[in-house]
Amino acid sequence: MDDKNFRFCRKCLTRDMISKDEYFKTLQELIANIPEDIKTAPELYEERLKTCTECERLADGMCGACGCYVELRAAKRANYCPYKKW
Ligand code: SF4
C-alpha cells in the first residue's frame, strides 16, 4: 500500500493497522521488550485493551484523555486508565 492510499481506522489499535510506517512497528517492539517484572500479564493486558476499544476516548490508538498510545500504557502493570476504567 502506498502512503497516499493509507487510511487510519479511528477505532483500531496500532497493532491492527496496516501500514508501512516504521513508527508503529517500533511501538510494538517497544511493548514486546518491556521487562517481565513490570509487564502486565497477557490476560489482563487484553482486558485493558478491550475496555479501550469500547471507550469513546480512543482515537487512532491513542487515549483522548491522556494522549498515550493505549497499548503502551496498558502494557505496564502499574499504569492505570485516567478515567479508572482499568
Ligand atoms: S485509557 Fe481509559 S480513558 Fe483512555 S481510551 Fe482507555 S479506557 Fe478510555
Side-chain angles (χ1 to χ4, degrees), residues 3-67:
D3 288 334
K4 70 180 182 190
N5 291 323
F6 178 75
R7 296 176 62 196
F8 280 104
C9 166
R10 296 186 62 84
K11 291 300 290 180
C12 287
L13 300 171
T14 58
R15 67 183 180 187
D16 299 325
M17 294 178 186
I18 299 170
S19 168
K20 292 185 295 185
D21 192 332
E22 288 297 310
Y23 186 80
F24 294 133
K25 182 179 172 207
T26 302
L27 180 64
Q28 291 299 325
E29 287 172 352
L30 185 63
I31 292 167
N33 289 310
I34 292 173
E36 289 300 321
D37 59 329
I38 63 168
K39 199 170 195 171
T40 306
E43 190 173 307
L44 180 57
Y45 182 62
E46 292 305 321
E47 281 179 32
R48 288 177 170 185
L49 295 186
K50 183 176 186 304
T51 301
C52 290
T53 57
E54 294 169 351
C55 178
E56 68 282 0
R57 293 181 180 84
L58 181 68
D60 300 335
M62 295 178 73
C63 172
C66 66

